[in-house]
Amino acid sequence: MLSPLRTTETRESGFTLIEVLIATMVFGIISVLVAYSLTLSMTLTRSSRANEVAANLAAQQIDTARSAKDVFSVKSGTTTQTIDGTDYTITKTVGWVTSTGAVADCGTSQGILQNKTLNVSISWSGIRPGTNPVQASTLLAPAGPINDPASGTILVHVTNASGAGVANVPITAKPDPSITPNTAATITPGPPSTDVDGCSYALKVTPGAYTVTIGKAGDGSISNSQVQVPTVKASVVAGQSAVIEMQYDKAATPKLTLAAAGTLIPTNLPLTYVPQSDPYTTIPTITGVTATTPLFPFGSGYSVFAGAFMASGASQPTCLSVDPQQWTQQNASGHVGVRAAAIPTPSGASIPSTSIAMPVVTVAVSGKWLVAKSAVAASTVGDPGCATATTTNVMTLTYPQSSGNAATIALPYGTWMIYALSNSGDSLTSSALVDVSKITRPAGSPAVTSSTVFTLDPRLP
C-alpha cells in the first residue's frame, strides 16, 4: 500500500528534459517549414509580378514600334528601366526581310527591302535561375513602298573585328567616274551614317555604277583589307540591292624594333604581317630602326617578319624564303623554321615595342652603297625560294652609304648577293659583287655553294 505523501509527489511531477527537447525540435522543424513556405510563396509572388511587368514592357515596346511612322527609326539597342525597385533590361534586335525571304541585320542579301523584324527580350534583376527572359516579336510593314521597281538600293553593313555593328561611320556614294557611259545619278540626300546596327541605306537609287566610301580620313579606323577610308565599287540594278559588307575598326598600332642601333636597315624594306587564318598582308616601305603600322585588330594578332612574302598586287607568293614557317626541310640539326609568337593587336591600342627577328651580317667595305638582291640557292640548302626577277623591287633592297671599315646590315631570311657600289645609282654588275669571304654571317649558317651567294637560315638552333 502506497503512502499518501508519495502519491502526492507523483501527481505533481512535470515534463522531463528529454520531452522538452523533443517538443522544441518538433516546433523548430514546423517553424522552418512554415518559414520556407512563406519565403517561397513571396518569391513566387515577386517572380510572377516581375514576369507580368516584363510582359507589359515587351508589349509596350511592340506597340511603340508599330506606331512608328518610319520603320527605319526602329533600331536595335539595350535600355534599362527601374520599376518598384526592380531593374528591367530591355534588349531590342531588328532585321530586314527582303524579297528573297532572307533575314539579316541590314537586309544584306540580294533583293529589295520589304518588312522589318523586331524581337524584344526583357530580363530583370533577381530573376530566378532557370527562368527565361520574356520574349516578344513582330513584323513591321512600311507605310508605303520602300523601293521603286525601276530603281535599286545600296545597303552598307559595317562591323568591327568581333562582328558587332559599328555606329556613326560616314558613308558616301557617288557615280563611278571610271565607268563610261554610266547611267548613275547623284544620290540626294546621300546615305546617312551607319546606325547602331552598323547599317546605312540609300533608297530609290538610279541604276548604274557607283563608288561607295566608308569612313573618313583621320578617324583612326582601318578595314580588314588594311585600307584606311576604303572605297568599294557598287553596281546598282533595278529591283535589286547592291550589298556592301565591310569590317572597319579602330586600328591597332604595334611598334616594331627591326634591329639594334648602328645596324643599317634597307631604305625600302617591306614587312609582312600574317593575321591568323587570313591572307598574308605585305606593308611596303618600312624605314628606320623602328616601325609603326596601323593594322586591322584581328583578335588572333599577327605574325610579323621582314621581307615581302608576295609582291604588291600579286595573288600568289613571290618569296617564300622570308617566312620562317616555309622552311619545312630539316637542316643538319633536325630543325625546321618556326615563326615568332603572334603580336596581339587589340582595337585602338598602341602595343609596346616588339623585336622582329632579322639576321645581321657584317660586310667588310667602307664608304659604299650596298644593295642586297635575292639569289637562287642550291637545292641542298633547303631554302624554299624567292623570286629573282629584275623587273621588280620585291627583294632588291638598298642601304644607306656605309662608313668606317665595315658595314653591319640587317636582312630578311633567304639567299642573297651583296653589291657594293661607288655611287648610289650605279648598275648592279658582276664586278660590284662582294665576295662571301668579306661577309661575316651568323654562326651555324649553311655552307656557301658560290663565292658570292650566301643563305640566312631561320632553322638555326
Side-chain angles (χ1 to χ4, degrees):
M1 184 173 182
L2 298 174
S3 64
L5 178 60
R6 186 173 183 81
T7 300
T8 301
E9 289 176 351
T10 301
R11 289 175 180 175
E12 292 179 353
S13 62
F15 293 108
T16 65
L17 179 60
I18 293 176
E19 290 172 327
V20 172
L21 291 176
I22 292 174
T24 303
M25 183 181 300
V26 171
F27 178 77
I29 293 172
I30 294 174
S31 298
V32 170
L33 291 175
V34 170
Y36 175 77
S37 298
L38 290 174
T39 302
L40 179 61
S41 177
M42 293 174 63
T43 301
L44 292 175
T45 300
R46 187 183 302 112
S47 178
S48 178
R49 184 183 300 114
N51 195 292
E52 183 178 350
V53 172
N56 290 333
L57 288 174
Q60 183 182 19
Q61 293 294 323
I62 295 296
D63 290 341
T64 301
R66 286 173 175 169
S67 63
K69 295 181 179 180
D70 180 8
V71 294
F72 286 93
S73 65
V74 180
K75 301 174 182 178
S76 300
T78 299
T79 58
T80 301
Q81 189 171 342
T82 302
I83 300 176
D84 294 334
T86 301
D87 295 330
Y88 294 86
T89 300
I90 305 168
T91 303
K92 296 187 296 182
T93 305
V94 303
W96 278 97
V97 180
T98 69
S99 58
T100 63
V103 180
D105 290 347
C106 309
T108 43
S109 61
Q110 292 301 315
I112 58 177
L113 303 178
Q114 289 189 329
N115 300 299
K116 199 166 194 179
T117 61
L118 170 62
N119 296 301
V120 180
S121 175
I122 300 182
S123 58
W124 54 91
S125 58
I127 188 171
R128 295 183 64 206
T131 301
N132 294 323
V134 172
Q135 305 279 347
S137 61
T138 188
L139 193 65
L140 305 175
I146 295 176
N147 291 282
D148 186 318
S151 63
T153 303
I154 296 177
L155 305 178
V156 181
H157 189 203
V158 181
T159 56
N160 60 18
S162 63
V166 183
N168 302 316
V169 177
I171 305 294
T172 59
K174 299 179 180 179
D176 188 347
S178 66
I179 303 297
T180 304
N182 189 359
T183 57
T186 301
I187 301 174
T188 305
S193 296
T194 55
D195 59 22
V196 293
D197 297 307
C199 304
S200 179
Y201 313 86
L203 306 177
K204 299 181 180 179
V205 178
T206 302
Y210 293 83
T211 57
V212 179
T213 302
I214 298 165
K216 63 179 180 180
D219 63 5
S221 295
I222 195 168
S223 73
N224 60 341
S225 57
Q226 311 298 344
V227 177
Q228 295 171 295
V229 194
T231 297
V232 181
K233 294 183 179 294
S235 179
V236 176
V237 178
Q240 296 292 324
S241 295
V243 179
I244 297 172
E245 290 274 6
M246 178 65 67
Q247 279 193 291
Y248 192 65
D249 205 342
K250 293 298 181 182
T253 52
K255 186 177 182 181
L256 309 177
T257 300
L258 304 179
T263 301
L264 298 182
I265 302 293
T267 57
N268 60 335
L269 175 67
L271 293 182
T272 295
Y273 299 85
V274 187
Q276 306 305 303
S277 303
D278 279 277
Y280 289 79
T281 300
T282 299
I283 308 294
T285 317
I286 301 298
T287 60
V289 176
T290 59
T292 300
T293 299
L295 297 171
F296 185 80
F298 286 110
S300 56
Y302 291 78
S303 293
V304 187
F305 42 84
F309 180 80
M310 69 175 56
S312 177
S315 59
Q316 297 295 326
T318 56
C319 188
L320 300 177
S321 303
V322 299
D323 181 1
Q325 186 171 285
Q326 300 296 330
W327 295 65
T328 56
Q329 181 178 323
Q330 292 184 353
N331 63 5
S333 302
H335 294 95
V336 296
V338 178
R339 290 178 186 163
I343 298 171
T345 51
S347 175
S350 180
I351 295 91
S353 181
T354 302
S355 179
I356 301 303
M358 286 188 70
V360 173
V361 302
T362 301
V363 184
V365 296
S366 177
K368 300 290 187 178
W369 276 266
L370 299 180
V371 176
K373 185 178 178 182
S374 53
V376 177
S379 59
T380 56
V381 172
D383 184 344
C386 186
T388 57
T390 59
T391 57
T392 100
N393 253 359
V394 173
M395 290 301 289
T396 299
L397 306 177
T398 59
Y399 293 83
Q401 186 178 18
S402 63
S403 60
N405 296 325
T408 300
I409 65 173
L411 279 165
Y413 294 113
T415 300
W416 300 94
M417 299 182 293
I418 301 292
Y419 295 83
L421 309 178
S422 299
N423 300 289
S424 60
D426 288 352
S427 300
L428 304 182
T429 61
S430 58
S431 61
L433 284 169
V434 178
D435 194 279
V436 175
S437 62
K438 295 183 178 181
I439 301 173
T440 303
R441 296 169 293 126
S445 293
V448 297
T449 56
S450 167
S451 61
T452 56
V453 175
F454 64 95
T455 298
L456 299 174
D457 191 336
R459 301 169 297 177
L460 298 177

